[in-house]
Amino acid sequence: MQDEMQTIAEFAISRPGSIATLEQLGIDYCCKGRQTIAEACRPAGITPDELFAMTARVEASPAVDWNQASLTALSRFIVDAHHGYTRNTLSALGPLAEKVRNRHGGGHVELEVVAKLVEQLTADLLPHMMKEEQVLFPYINAVDEASQAHVEPPIPFFGTARNPIRNMMLEHDAVAEIMRELRVVTAAYELPATACASYSALFSQLASLETDLHQHIHLENNILFPRAIETEEKTRVTPVPLAYTNHVCGGDHC
């Protein structure tokens, strides 16, 4: 029997095949994954029982169970599948948003907002992913390796994984807010009758990026980061010096 007080993140993790349904319902299982199922269902206008019924026939996903895979494998998958997709999509979205704004902005003033939000999204996501790839993920992989070798991981300049993870999750929240603004200003990516092929491509790519970011952030916030913190704390015996534990992340390298 399903428990409506379970978090929506736990529900998505235990039933990855339900993610498509959660996307269709507009239920946030990534940045707001700590909500209970009951809380998450309320804005969608359905009850937990209705959600359970909608997903009851979803077969178990054949995808990898990331709760069982190594942290190294999961971080590599995030970089290869999601970071790569995000970079490629953003590189196309910027010029496309400008093109559509220049061609149709006179009749659709909201396209100016769309172009600015795409620019902001790019400015936020590119350095965010670089910090993960160059700082946080290598440390998580080192923790994973140390855990498997039954030795202590090195003490990083940021003290513990909790520090950069806290910062990465705040940045995820900022990205999620930009995507929510894009959804509102575009009326959920509804195309006007006069939309050309470029207009259609812009909205289609934004909608696809939104879905991928939900899955991307879900893997980090709800699986990789909690498991990394737990593994680090189980592996480390030597107390981290106070100077490290008071470290505040927020710069270019953290």
Side-chain angles (χ1 to χ4, degrees), residues 67-86:
N67 264 322
Q68 301 301 320
S70 71
L71 295 174
T72 302
L74 176 51
S75 67
R76 185 184 301 118
F77 174 79
I78 290 170
V79 171
D80 291 346
H82 293 293
H83 285 196
Y85 170 82
T86 300

Side-chain angles (χ1 to χ4, degrees), residues 30 66 74 77-78 82 214-226:
C30 50
W66 292 116
L74 176 51
F77 174 79
I78 290 170
H82 293 293
H214 289 165
Q215 297 170 2
H216 174 176
I217 293 173
H218 165 65
L219 287 175
E220 292 185 357
N221 279 14
N222 301 327
I223 303 180
L224 180 66
F225 293 167

Side-chain angles (χ1 to χ4, degrees), residues 21-43:
T21 301
L22 296 177
E23 288 285 347
Q24 291 168 4
L25 293 169
I27 292 177
D28 188 344
Y29 57 93
C30 50
C31 288
K32 294 185 178 179
R34 294 183 181 178
Q35 295 182 105
T36 65
I37 292 174
E39 291 169 339
C41 284
R42 204 169 294 129

Side-chain angles (χ1 to χ4, degrees), residues 121-138:
L121 188 67
T122 302
D124 284 4
L125 274 171
L126 293 184
H128 170 87
M129 293 187 295
M130 184 171 64
K131 285 183 287 187
E132 288 183 334
E133 292 171 12
Q134 295 185 0
V135 180
L136 179 56
F137 288 3

Side-chain angles (χ1 to χ4, degrees), residues 96 99-101 103-105 107-111 114 185-186 189-206:
L96 187 57
K99 177 182 178 181
V100 174
R101 177 194 59 191
R103 183 173 298 177
H104 299 278
H108 299 277
V109 294
E110 70 277 4
L111 290 174
V114 170
V185 77
T186 62
Y189 306 114
E190 182 177 350
L191 288 167
T194 56
C196 65
S198 295
Y199 209 135
S200 299
L202 174 63
F203 277 25
S204 175
Q205 287 189 42
L206 283 170

